[in-house]
Amino acid sequence: MAQCVQSVQELVQDSFVPMVAVLCSEEAERVTRKNNLNFAELLRPFCRLTSEGHIRDPNNQVQVVKNLRICVNNVVTSPNAASAAQRRLLNEVVSSCQPQEGAATNVITAGDYDLNFSDHSVKASVPWYSAWRQTLSEVSTSKHYTATTPWFEAYRENFLQSMAASEHEFLNHYLACLLVVSSTETVPVEQFLKLSQEQHRIQHSGDYTNPKWFIPNTLKYYVLLHDMGEGGEQRAESVYEDMKQRYGHQGCYLLKVNSRSFSAEDDEQMPDPWSQYLHRSNLQNQEEEDAAVNSGPVENKASAAEVDSSPTPEKDGASTSLERHPLQLDTALCAEHPEPKKGAREPESLVGAAGSHGACLTLNDHDHIRQFIQEFTFRGLLPHIEKNIRQLNDQLVSRKGLSRSLFTATKKWFGGGKVPEKGVSEPKSTCGLLYPPEAPELQIRKMADLCFLVQHYELAYSCYHTAKKDFLSDQAMLYAAGALEMAAVSAFLQAGAPRPYPTHYMDTAIQTYRDVCKNMVLAERCALLSAEILKSQAKYSEAATLLIKMTSEDSDLRSALLLEQAAHCFINMRNPMVRKFAFHMILAGHRFSKAGQRRHALRCYCQAMQVYKERGWSLAEDHINFTIGRQSFTLSQPEKAVTAFRQILTNDSRQTATQQGAFLREYLYVYKSVVGGNEDSLPQLPLPCIHSSATRVYFGHERRLAQGEKQAATHVSLDQEYDQDLAAMWGQLEEQLVAAANRGIVPASFQPTQCCLNSQTDNLRYPLAVAEEPIIVEVMFRNPLKVPLALSNLSLLWKFTAEGVTPSEEVTGEAITNEESLTEGTDNVVTTQIILEFLLCPEETKMARLQLLPHRTGQLSIVGVVYNLAAAPCGETAPSCEGQQAMDFMVVRGRQDLKIQGPRLNQTKEDKMLVRHGVDRRLDPVITPPMPLMEVFFLQFPTALLCGEIRKAYVEFCNVSAVALCGLRVASTHPDFFTFGSRGLTPLTPVSPTSAESCSAYKTSTRQPGSVASEMLVSAGDFSQPSGVMEIPIDGSTLLPGESTQLPLWLRGPDHEGVHEINFLFYYQSTEKGMKISHRVLRHTVFICASRSLSVQASACRSSVPPHHRLDDKSTGGSLVFVDVENVNTSEAGVREFHIIQVSSSSQHWSLHKCINPANDRDCKLGSRERAKLCFRATRCQRPAASDAAEKYTFADVNLGNEQIISSSTPCGDFFFRGCLSPESQRVGGTASRTSSSSRILEDKAADISNIVKKCNELDLNIIVIWKAYVVEDNKQLILEGQLHVALQTIGKEVTSLTPKEEAQEMVLLKFKPEAPAPVAPPSAELSQLIKTNLHYPETHSHPFVQESLCVVPVTLTLSNCSSAPVDVLIDLRHKSPSPESVEVHSSFTWVGRTQYKLQLEPQEVLCVTLRACFLQAGVYNLNTLRVFAKLTQQGAVCEADSQQAASPALIIINNA
């Protein structure tokens, strides 16, 4: 149970005290009324004795009476107050006692829980039990020792005092009567006689049932009251002397009071010890009509703490240390301050002004009253009780014929330390039996009560035990229960505890009172006493069980208080049962609420919340918060109610939809009551939840959709997901554009443009927005409830500072905001968009896009959102008028702030040690002056192309702003995909797309096929642009406001099949200089699906025809170019057939000269999976002597049909330079090698050889295959055009237009120790290409072998030096058969003459050597058996020349003539 002011011994002693009645004359009442008190009230604060008293028991043993208190009441003859009035009194007592205001809170750890309690105690730590014992020991000896549940103690005290006297016990019967007469009476003795007769009539006439008297011979004590302020002290003394003669000096007393005049009050403030008693009296007086009569038996019990009383004896540490509980209400949240109800008055106002009690009494008068009480008790009351105990003992002994002393007899029967029997027979009848007053069973009970009142607990226990057996034998269950109750209490109070506390006595008594006698008042008294005793013995579990059993439906207040004390028992156990504590506090709060004690109910729920909070008990939390909210609202604490309901709505609730709807309506009602009509400062709303970090900010107009055939640029949209890699790619493109616009230099202040800001973008800087362009803020709302939410009039809250005032220097007066009220006066600064309705379905996450349109330059800060919140109707039916009004009433207006936390800092050591977050300024844009705004539209832009297909589209540029723009450029991730054409080389095209449907994308001319190729010199500078950035050729290079222009755009399908993502970034800037935003960009992303078309494979080899045998007039050496074209289209695109209409070449050194194959076919048609083999002769270009001619490219066109396409013009030349040259130049320029210093010399030699050989084999010829495809689509035949590129770099090396798939590389072991460099071997394969050999001989030769056996045929060997260095050649005619199969072929053939020749060929020299072959018989012979070796002069490496050509046979037919 909770900590109490008194020990359990003091509590029991003060619950049963001797009762003294008072009868006063009218004059005596007048004297005491000067102090605003009656005589009984005057004595009440001094009724506790400050010294010990003594009595002798029947065995003549002295018994010490310590700390005795008597109860003095006016004689009240009216019947007892009704039970309803008693309940109202107790209800008021509990209601008026509330927790202390501003009590200090400490935290104690009980298991996993940190619980708050309030008092002047220290913080306890684990281990819980030992630390708590020490803490309570310190608290119990502290001067500031306070009760933690004073309302329970006040209830218990008033309950025990208000109990009516019962017939079955005498503890509440009057033992004595004080007869008080004033000394100012004419004949005081006559007044004493009248009062004595009145007392006798009241007790013995039988007309009055109240009050009840202990014994027939009641002690009468005569008190003469003398008013010192009225003089006459001598007369009073004389009257007192007469009284002593008449009544004896031990039966009367002269009490002198009012030594102080009332006017002296201003000089000295006297103590007022009566207020605490009179407060309780007046609480009772409010319930009863006759305060003077009915308040007496209820109000006049003295309190536990007495003014000027002696210090409380030191209590047993083991018992008191467990009396305090560790929980007190968290005063920061739940402390309740008592507020008097309507009609109730303050304690002082009920009886007069503060200090008005005892105004005529001095401290000496206080001492006189205290001395009077002591004299009365020691000389009158205690001797009277002692005498009656002896008389009763003698009567019982004589009546029962027992030994002289019942005390000795009971000791003989039961033994001094014998434990009483546990077995009590079951009741056989009801409690309706009544004993006559002179019954011996009542006499022994009366003797037991007298012994108990004077603290003779051993004799009292013996008497109770004897009476208990007599009552049980008579089946007088009410009397037996009373005897059992007091026997158990007497056994507990015996000094030294000779016998254990008989708990079963108390349990039987409680059960009998409750179940048999149906008397809950007596059962409750028994339970309160037993619980305190069990608590003092640290039997908290038994105490809690007892208290819980006493709860019932007949009294909510009693049940609430007992449940609360049971909860405190659970928390004070050795192993605290915290959850049981919380559960029973909830039950207590519920019963408090039913009893009308809302403040105590709120306190109980708040204390229980400490246990359930944030423990995953969501349903319990919801119930507690809902109850706290309702109770707080009822107690006129709407702010706390709003806080409690907010907790229900913001947590992830597991309630049903119906329950959540009820919570929401309750919250809206409470919130509406709090706000009322004052909406100047909008409070924060808990619903819906806003995911602030997911807020996105978009600067600019939303993307315009396609207009008819026009396709708008995609740009940036809030519908797009943010991709870090894509953002980096766009940043690189923008950096290229900025560098191109600034002469190749990127400014230091360059930052990539960010049109849409989110949690992944760089938000450290203030973003730049443009005046007259909208700012769209996307806010993510989440409805955590299972009921829909209806938001209305949703808009953004903002604050604007005019230009020239930085945020750090912001002056409040200069800031413009729409926070106070969304008036129209702010529209000239920023126009705020309002969403009229925004519905959130149950548990839905939904985006709201809110727009602002700034009109002035400056600093804008977006603060939050403001909206009206209502519970959306779940049904589909239309609400009635009354329902609509209720819905309108349940609409509340509030706000939520957008507080975005920046990224966590992780740079320095401090950042890593602490949790620090950077700034996030996405909601704080700087508004800049107007900027140009461009829109881009695409016309006839395809979505699917064949690989290499050329398609013509159109692009339209529109300036939709009021500012001119210039510097229009574009960069792309695929610069080889498109071209705008080149200056002077662009063919004439239709201005509008509609007139260009049947036109070819190429520039063409008519020319007969089969003729020699036409050539044209073109400079690469006419096509290529630096850094891949393309300037867009618009007229005047400026777009005025509102102006638009349209340009043709040629597209070429990617070389690889699949879906390709192609990104364009358009760049433009304002014609005005010095703007905060230097430029603007526009993004466009297209997806092109490329299908396979043709596969081109090309290779080249040197022509084997000697120069002097060529038919053309070209004197330089030539090469043969073989082109294999295969139709690899899968017919998915409806392509019927491909026509190869032209093959062109582009090179600085070589050009196609003539088509060899096909020779007659004008056109080359390829069906599905068909292949064509083309052969062309290539010759070196004959350049003029001009210096710039060497850098120009020669375009040669060999047309296979009647139409020649000018390959050197747009778009063929553009795509050639973009697709063929750029990768090659990058590849060549980007090669690098890593070598060690030890092999540098060998590498230099090898490099010389390689360079010479490479230059010898270089071809550098680019082949352009131009085709047409016939497609059937929608029963129409379309003609598609396209071109494919292959680059022949080296003779003998085959290249293809389709790149083979890369295979995964094998893993290579890591080598940590460098190996010795291997000797660099000369590239034999390349050396073999230095010398080109040709054998010239007649194909057939006839010889008469019969006439001449030897046939000699002359053979000419032509040697050509293909390199630019002198070469040494060795000719070896001794043929060595490479394989056994060729032995028979060569067996009858031999070379005659010299078998070896050593020659030296100068660069590019051609030398002829005449050889002779000798045949012995006719046949077919292979003359290619000689071997030619070559090496560079001054080099040691020798390699066989032209090994590939030597492998082919040179056959001659020898006929016999």
Side-chain angles (χ1 to χ4, degrees):
M1 295 171 70
Q3 170 189 333
C4 299
V5 173
Q6 297 173 294
S7 68
V8 62
Q9 290 83 2
E10 293 172 342
L11 170 66
V12 176
Q13 288 178 11
D14 288 347
S15 300
F16 305 101
V17 295
M19 303 284 290
V20 179
V22 174
L23 281 175
C24 289
S25 65
E26 294 181 0
E27 191 65 21
E29 284 290 341
R30 184 189 63 81
V31 173
T32 58
R33 281 299 170 190
K34 290 182 179 181
N35 297 289
N36 206 6
L37 300 164
N38 60 35
F39 187 77
E41 293 171 348
L42 182 70
L43 301 183
R44 195 162 297 139
F46 311 101
C47 287
R48 186 179 295 280
L49 299 182
T50 57
S51 57
E52 296 180 352
H54 301 84
I55 64 168
R56 290 185 179 272
D57 62 13
N59 280 343
N60 209 26
Q61 298 293 324
V62 177
Q63 296 291 331
V64 179
V65 181
K66 298 179 180 179
N67 201 28
L68 180 66
R69 184 178 71 86
I70 64 173
C71 181
V72 181
N73 289 328
N74 291 326
V75 174
V76 179
T77 58
S78 62
N80 291 328
S83 59
Q86 182 184 6
R87 285 197 295 268
R88 286 196 299 270
L89 167 68
L90 295 175
N91 200 57
E92 286 293 329
V93 167
V94 175
S95 178
S96 63
C97 190
Q98 299 292 335
Q100 296 180 0
E101 179 180 353
T105 59
N106 290 305
V107 177
I108 187 165
T109 301
D112 294 334
Y113 297 86
D114 293 330
L115 306 173
N116 291 326
F117 69 100
S118 172
D119 260 327
H120 299 272
S121 57
V122 298
K123 181 179 179 180
S125 58
V126 189
W128 186 85
Y129 180 67
S130 60
W132 189 232
R133 286 177 61 93
Q134 180 181 359
T135 300
L136 291 176
S137 300
E138 296 175 6
V139 173
S140 61
T141 57
S142 170
K143 294 181 181 179
H144 305 288
Y145 188 75
T146 58
T148 56
T149 52
W151 46 91
F152 171 71
E153 295 181 38
Y155 169 86
R156 184 179 60 194
E157 180 182 351
N158 281 272
F159 170 77
L160 293 175
Q161 291 176 3
S162 64
M163 288 186 65
S166 175
E167 296 289 346
H168 80 288
E169 63 182 9
F170 303 94
L171 293 169
N172 288 346
H173 294 192
Y174 286 105
L175 276 167
C177 182
L178 296 177
L179 307 177
V180 185
V181 173
S182 174
S183 62
T184 58
E185 298 278 355
T186 306
V187 185
V189 177
E190 292 182 1
Q191 290 294 328
F192 279 125
L193 182 59
K194 289 181 181 179
L195 293 178
S196 177
Q197 292 173 352
E198 176 69 15
Q199 188 275 333
H200 187 272
R201 183 179 63 85
I202 291 173
Q203 181 176 358
H204 296 288
S205 66
D207 297 335
Y208 303 99
T209 57
N210 283 318
K212 297 188 182 299
W213 304 91
F214 206 107
I215 51 180
N217 185 19
T218 301
L219 172 66
K220 297 181 179 64
Y221 197 82
Y222 302 89
V223 181
L224 182 63
L225 188 63
H226 175 62
D227 190 343
M228 297 292 290
E230 297 180 0
E233 188 172 355
Q234 292 182 354
R235 182 175 181 274
E237 290 288 347
S238 64
V239 173
Y240 178 57
E241 289 297 329
D242 183 33
M243 291 170 60
K244 287 195 288 186
Q245 293 297 326
R246 185 181 296 270
Y247 307 117
H249 70 283
Q250 294 184 347
C252 59
Y253 193 84
L254 173 62
L255 179 60
K256 299 177 181 180
V257 294
N258 296 350
S259 301
R260 179 170 176 258
S261 62
F262 190 76
S263 61
E265 183 182 3
D266 298 335
D267 300 331
E268 183 181 0
Q269 183 69 36
M270 299 301 294
D272 182 9
W274 295 275
S275 296
Q276 56 181 322
Y277 306 101
L278 298 180
H279 177 53
R280 292 195 299 271
S281 301
N282 284 282
L283 285 174
Q284 183 179 4
N285 292 344
Q286 295 173 39
E287 305 297 332
E288 300 179 2
E289 296 178 358
D290 188 0
V293 177
N294 296 337
S295 64
V298 179
E299 70 183 13
N300 294 316
K301 297 278 184 173
S303 174
E306 301 293 343
V307 178
D308 298 331
S309 63
S310 61
T312 304
E314 183 175 353
K315 300 185 264 309
D316 179 32
S319 62
T320 60
S321 63
L322 292 172
E323 294 176 5
R324 185 184 177 90
H325 78 99
L327 259 102
Q328 189 68 8
L329 192 62
D330 187 356
T331 56
L333 294 174
C334 312
E336 300 298 337
H337 311 314
E339 298 178 6
K341 295 187 176 183
K342 291 184 179 180
R345 294 169 290 173
E346 294 296 328
E348 292 77 13
S349 66
L350 295 172
V351 293
S356 62
H357 309 120
C360 299
L361 300 177
T362 63
L363 292 179
N364 288 332
D365 292 336
H366 292 186
D367 292 338
H368 293 161
I369 299 172
R370 190 177 293 110
Q371 186 178 0
F372 159 68
I373 295 293
Q374 189 163 341
E375 285 291 326
F376 162 71
T377 306
F378 289 165
R379 294 190 178 187
L381 184 60
L382 288 181
H384 177 71
I385 294 174
E386 180 182 334
K387 181 181 70 172
N388 280 279
I389 290 175
R390 288 179 178 275
Q391 289 178 356
L392 289 171
N393 183 62
D394 292 341
Q395 290 176 13
L396 293 172
V397 169
S398 63
R399 186 169 299 175
K400 291 195 173 184
L402 300 177
S403 61
R404 182 179 178 275
S405 172
L406 178 66
F407 176 65
T408 57
T410 53
K411 288 186 65 175
K412 183 185 300 181
W413 291 340
F414 303 108
K418 186 178 179 182
V419 180
E421 302 91 342
K422 293 185 179 181
V424 178
S425 61
E426 292 294 327
K428 298 177 183 178
S429 64
T430 64
C431 57
L433 178 63
L434 291 177
Y435 288 99
E438 64 277 2
E441 291 84 2
L442 289 187
Q443 300 303 316
I444 193 170
R445 169 66 200 245
K446 191 177 294 185
M447 178 180 171
D449 288 346
L450 283 174
C451 293
F452 188 88
L453 291 176
V454 293
Q455 303 175 9
H456 195 342
Y457 299 118
E458 187 174 359
L459 182 56
Y461 174 78
S462 300
C463 295
Y464 284 132
H465 197 277
T466 302
K468 178 257 303 183
K469 299 188 69 131
D470 293 341
F471 292 142
L472 285 176
S473 64
D474 295 338
Q475 293 298 306
M477 301 313 299
L478 178 64
Y479 294 89
L484 283 169
E485 174 187 5
M486 297 312 297
V489 174
S490 300
F492 170 73
L493 291 176
Q494 288 184 37
R499 53 179 58 86
Y501 170 64
T503 310
H504 58 287
Y505 277 16
M506 275 294 195
D507 294 341
T508 305
I510 294 172
Q511 182 180 0
T512 304
Y513 281 143
R514 185 183 60 198
D515 300 336
V516 178
C517 304
K518 308 299 181 184
N519 192 327
M520 287 300 298
V521 175
L522 292 173
E524 182 179 354
R525 181 188 72 178
C526 192
L528 291 175
L529 295 177
S530 181
E532 285 293 335
I533 294 172
L534 291 172
K535 181 195 73 172
S536 68
Q537 297 176 345
K539 297 179 179 179
Y540 291 104
S541 178
E542 293 84 346
T545 304
L546 174 63
L547 292 169
I548 294 171
K549 283 182 179 179
M550 282 304 299
T551 59
S552 61
E553 293 298 324
D554 62 329
S555 174
D556 290 313
L557 180 62
R558 178 185 70 237
S559 300
L561 290 166
L562 297 184
L563 283 169
E564 182 183 13
Q565 294 304 308
H568 286 286
C569 288
F570 288 122
I571 200 65
N572 279 290
M573 296 174 67
R574 183 178 187 122
N575 295 319
M577 304 176 76
V578 186
R579 289 193 292 273
K580 273 200 172 185
F581 159 80
F583 178 71
H584 287 84
M585 288 300 285
I586 294 294
L587 296 178
H590 174 66
R591 300 304 292 269
F592 271 129
S593 180
K594 291 179 65 176
Q597 299 284 345
R598 293 190 177 92
R599 294 184 184 278
H600 287 292
L602 178 61
R603 173 185 51 77
C604 289
Y605 277 99
C606 290
Q607 284 192 343
M609 192 62 185
Q610 298 180 85
V611 175
Y612 289 108
K613 189 176 182 181
E614 296 177 358
R615 293 280 175 173
W617 299 59
S618 61
L619 297 178
E621 279 190 78
D622 291 346
H623 169 73
I624 297 171
N625 278 316
F626 181 74
T627 308
I628 290 174
R630 276 201 164 178
Q631 297 290 357
S632 299
F633 181 73
T634 309
L635 293 171
S636 301
Q637 299 173 5
E639 291 80 7
K640 293 181 181 177
V642 169
T643 302
F645 282 116
R646 177 191 293 268
Q647 294 295 326
I648 303 177
L649 299 176
T650 53
N651 292 338
D652 290 333
S653 177
R654 294 165 56 191
Q655 301 283 357
T656 61
T658 305
Q659 191 65 45
Q660 289 183 359
F663 288 161
L664 179 60
R665 289 191 296 272
E666 195 91 12
Y667 169 77
L668 294 176
Y669 178 79
V670 172
Y671 180 88
K672 192 79 173 179
S673 303
V674 173
V675 176
N678 181 20
E679 295 187 1
D680 291 340
S681 58
L682 296 171
Q684 299 283 337
L685 291 177
L687 290 174
C689 300
I690 293 181
H691 190 13
S692 295
S693 61
T695 302
R696 298 196 295 171
V697 185
Y698 179 78
F699 301 99
H701 296 276
E702 288 195 80
R703 182 174 69 90
R704 190 190 304 182
L705 299 176
Q707 297 180 348
E709 295 181 355
K710 294 182 180 180
Q711 177 186 350
T714 55
H715 194 46
V716 182
S717 171
L718 285 170
D719 298 326
Q720 300 170 356
E721 292 292 334
Y722 180 80
D723 189 301
Q724 193 78 36
D725 297 333
L726 278 178
M729 180 271 298
W730 288 116
Q732 293 174 0
L733 289 179
E734 186 174 355
E735 188 172 350
Q736 294 177 18
L737 288 164
V738 171
N742 290 276
R743 301 178 181 178
I745 300 174
V746 179
S749 60
F750 166 73
Q751 290 295 327
T753 303
Q754 296 184 130
C755 297
C756 185
L757 300 180
N758 54 42
S759 57
Q760 301 180 55
T761 55
D762 182 10
N763 304 324
L764 295 177
R765 299 172 182 81
Y766 291 100
L768 299 178
V770 180
E772 305 300 336
E773 292 188 15
I775 300 172
I776 303 174
V777 180
E778 185 182 77
V779 183
M780 180 185 290
F781 291 97
R782 181 177 66 89
N783 179 9
L785 304 182
K786 299 175 183 176
V787 294
L789 295 177
L791 275 61
S792 58
N793 293 336
L794 174 63
S795 61
L796 289 171
L797 284 175
W798 50 264
K799 184 169 59 176
F800 181 80
T801 306
E803 191 172 13
V805 181
T806 61
S808 59
E809 301 172 353
E810 182 177 310
V811 182
T812 307
E814 297 183 4
I816 304 171
T817 179
N818 68 338
E819 194 166 333
E820 285 77 11
S821 60
L822 298 174
T823 60
E824 297 180 359
T826 57
D827 283 349
N828 60 344
V829 179
V830 178
T831 301
T832 306
Q833 179 200 13
I834 298 177
I835 298 178
L836 296 180
E837 292 183 357
F838 187 77
L839 180 65
L840 281 170
C841 296
E843 298 181 337
E844 181 187 16
T845 299
K846 191 175 181 180
M847 306 292 184
R849 293 179 182 174
L850 303 167
Q851 184 170 309
L852 297 177
L853 183 63
H855 304 292
R856 292 166 54 183
T857 59
Q859 175 71 47
L860 179 66
S861 294
I862 300 170
V863 179
V865 292
V866 59
Y867 53 91
N868 296 334
L869 175 64
C874 297
E876 297 295 333
T877 59
S880 62
C881 295
E882 295 180 359
Q884 187 63 40
Q885 291 177 0
M887 290 299 296
D888 293 340
F889 177 72
M890 300 298 281
V891 173
V892 298
R893 185 158 185 81
R895 61 181 286 179
Q896 284 200 60
D897 291 339
L898 293 173
K899 297 179 181 178
I900 301 178
Q901 191 178 55
R904 180 174 176 181
L905 302 178
N906 199 25
Q907 301 296 326
T908 63
K909 182 179 179 181
E910 289 76 11
D911 294 340
K912 296 177 181 178
M913 298 293 291
L914 304 173
V915 178
R916 293 179 179 175
H917 293 271
V919 295
D920 193 304
R921 294 196 172 100
R922 75 180 89 162
L923 295 178
D924 301 319
V926 176
I927 311 301
T928 62
M931 284 286 294
L933 184 64
M934 183 181 71
E935 290 186 353
V936 179
F937 297 96
F938 297 89
L939 290 84
Q940 298 182 357
F941 203 93
T943 56
L945 292 172
L946 294 174
C947 291
E949 179 185 350
I950 304 295
R951 188 77 64 88
K952 188 175 184 180
Y954 291 85
V955 60
E956 182 178 349
F957 301 96
C958 304
N959 185 357
V960 295
S961 65
V963 183
L965 64 87
C966 63
L968 193 54
R969 293 176 174 83
V970 64
S972 175
T973 52
H974 295 69
D976 55 343
F977 173 70
F978 69 100
T979 179
F980 283 99
S982 302
R983 294 185 297 271
L985 300 174
T986 304
L988 297 176
T989 58
V991 178
S992 63
T994 56
S995 61
E997 293 180 355
S998 59
C999 292
S1000 171
Y1002 290 110
K1003 183 179 179 180
T1004 62
S1005 64
T1006 304
R1007 189 167 181 268
Q1008 291 297 323
S1011 58
V1012 179
S1014 63
E1015 297 182 359
M1016 182 176 293
L1017 284 175
V1018 175
S1019 175
D1022 295 337
F1023 291 94
S1024 59
Q1025 297 195 13
S1027 70
V1029 174
M1030 187 180 300
E1031 293 186 9
I1032 299 176
I1034 58 175
D1035 294 337
S1037 69
T1038 302
L1039 269 183
L1040 298 177
E1043 187 180 359
S1044 64
T1045 184
Q1046 203 173 75
L1047 296 177
L1049 180 71
W1050 286 271
L1051 309 173
R1052 179 177 178 270
D1055 289 325
H1056 306 289
E1057 66 173 332
V1059 178
H1060 298 263
E1061 179 181 349
I1062 299 172
N1063 301 290
F1064 299 87
L1065 188 64
F1066 296 94
Y1067 169 101
Y1068 59 98
Q1069 57 194 26
S1070 174
T1071 54
E1072 301 177 11
K1073 302 300 180 184
M1075 306 291 286
K1076 285 186 179 179
I1077 302 179
S1078 61
H1079 65 277
R1080 304 191 82 171
V1081 293
L1082 180 67
R1083 301 177 182 177
H1084 180 56
T1085 300
V1086 295
F1087 292 90
I1088 298 295
C1089 180
S1091 303
R1092 289 191 293 180
S1093 56
L1094 299 177
S1095 170
V1096 178
Q1097 294 180 350
S1099 61
C1101 64
R1102 289 193 178 90
S1103 175
S1104 59
V1105 181
H1108 56 276
H1109 288 178
R1110 291 177 187 162
L1111 301 176
D1112 54 72
D1113 55 355
K1114 300 275 184 176
S1115 59
T1116 57
S1119 296
L1120 294 180
V1121 176
F1122 299 95
V1123 179
D1124 289 358
V1125 183
E1126 182 182 1
N1127 180 0
V1128 293
N1129 183 264
T1130 56
S1131 299
E1132 294 175 358
V1135 179
R1136 193 175 63 189
E1137 61 182 6
F1138 285 90
H1139 289 233
I1140 302 173
I1141 58 174
Q1142 182 172 306
V1143 178
S1144 301
S1145 68
S1146 174
S1147 173
Q1148 292 179 323
H1149 310 291
W1150 292 82
S1151 67
L1152 291 181
H1153 178 62
K1154 192 176 181 180
C1155 177
I1156 299 176
N1157 180 45
N1160 300 322
D1161 194 3
R1162 294 185 177 182
D1163 202 349
C1164 183
K1165 299 179 182 180
L1166 292 178
S1168 178
R1169 311 305 299 181
E1170 289 185 349
R1171 176 182 295 214
K1173 291 184 176 291
L1174 309 179
C1175 180
F1176 301 90
R1177 177 175 295 152
T1179 59
R1180 287 187 177 271
C1181 299
Q1182 300 295 323
R1183 294 297 177 85
S1187 60
D1188 59 343
E1191 296 181 359
K1192 289 190 175 184
Y1193 284 77
T1194 300
F1195 280 82
D1197 301 331
V1198 179
N1199 58 309
L1200 304 181
N1202 295 325
E1203 189 179 34
Q1204 177 190 357
I1205 293 175
I1206 312 300
S1207 61
S1208 58
S1209 64
T1210 298
C1212 185
D1214 296 82
F1215 289 120
F1216 161 72
F1217 282 107
R1218 286 180 172 272
C1220 217
L1221 282 189
S1222 300
E1224 184 61 27
S1225 60
Q1226 293 172 4
R1227 185 186 66 81
V1228 174
T1231 54
S1233 59
R1234 291 175 293 179
T1235 56
S1236 60
S1237 58
S1238 61
S1239 62
R1240 191 70 51 83
I1241 299 174
L1242 291 175
E1243 282 192 2
D1244 291 343
K1245 278 187 178 183
D1248 293 342
I1249 300 173
S1250 298
N1251 289 336
I1252 293 171
V1253 173
K1254 185 177 179 181
K1255 195 169 182 180
C1256 167
N1257 294 327
E1258 270 185 0
L1259 189 62
D1260 192 17
L1261 179 63
N1262 300 284
I1263 304 299
I1264 304 171
V1265 178
I1266 301 175
W1267 51 264
K1268 284 186 179 181
Y1270 294 88
V1271 179
V1272 178
E1273 186 175 303
D1274 297 334
N1275 296 324
K1276 294 181 181 179
Q1277 179 170 310
L1278 302 179
I1279 300 177
L1280 307 181
E1281 303 172 299
Q1283 63 187 56
L1284 296 173
H1285 308 143
V1286 289
L1288 288 170
Q1289 300 294 332
T1290 308
I1291 291 177
K1293 185 175 182 181
E1294 188 178 62
V1295 293
T1296 179
S1297 61
L1298 291 179
T1299 306
K1301 294 182 180 179
E1302 297 182 358
E1303 296 180 358
Q1305 296 182 353
E1306 296 182 359
M1307 295 181 63
V1308 181
L1309 293 176
L1310 293 176
K1311 297 180 180 179
F1312 299 97
K1313 185 177 180 182
E1315 298 179 351
V1320 180
S1324 58
E1326 295 180 359
L1327 281 174
S1328 64
Q1329 302 293 330
L1330 292 176
I1331 300 299
K1332 184 173 65 173
T1333 62
N1334 282 311
L1335 288 174
H1336 297 277
Y1337 54 90
E1339 292 183 2
T1340 59
H1341 182 75
S1342 298
H1343 179 74
F1345 285 98
V1346 178
Q1347 301 174 6
E1348 187 176 353
S1349 60
L1350 293 178
C1351 175
V1352 178
V1353 178
V1355 177
T1356 303
L1357 173 64
T1358 305
L1359 301 175
S1360 302
N1361 184 1
C1362 299
S1363 68
S1364 57
V1367 177
D1368 293 339
V1369 178
L1370 173 64
I1371 302 172
D1372 187 2
L1373 299 181
R1374 295 172 298 175
H1375 48 172
K1376 297 178 179 178
S1377 298
S1379 59
E1381 289 82 0
S1382 60
V1383 173
E1384 296 181 358
V1385 180
H1386 306 309
S1387 59
S1388 59
F1389 151 69
T1390 184
W1391 294 101
V1392 295
R1394 294 178 57 180
T1395 57
Q1396 278 190 351
Y1397 295 86
K1398 290 185 178 179
L1399 307 172
Q1400 184 175 8
L1401 297 180
E1402 295 300 324
Q1404 303 297 331
E1405 182 183 358
V1406 178
L1407 183 64
C1408 295
V1409 178
T1410 301
L1411 306 176
R1412 289 184 301 166
C1414 183
F1415 303 92
L1416 299 179
Q1417 59 185 6
V1420 178
Y1421 297 91
N1422 181 12
L1423 296 180
N1424 197 4
T1425 60
L1426 54 85
R1427 302 178 69 185
V1428 179
F1429 297 91
K1431 75 178 184 67
L1432 293 176
T1433 307
Q1434 301 176 354
Q1435 295 291 340
V1438 178
C1439 183
E1440 187 171 356
D1442 210 353
S1443 58
Q1444 184 177 359
Q1445 185 176 349
S1448 59
L1451 301 180
I1452 186 173
I1453 301 174
I1454 303 298
N1455 296 321
N1456 189 4

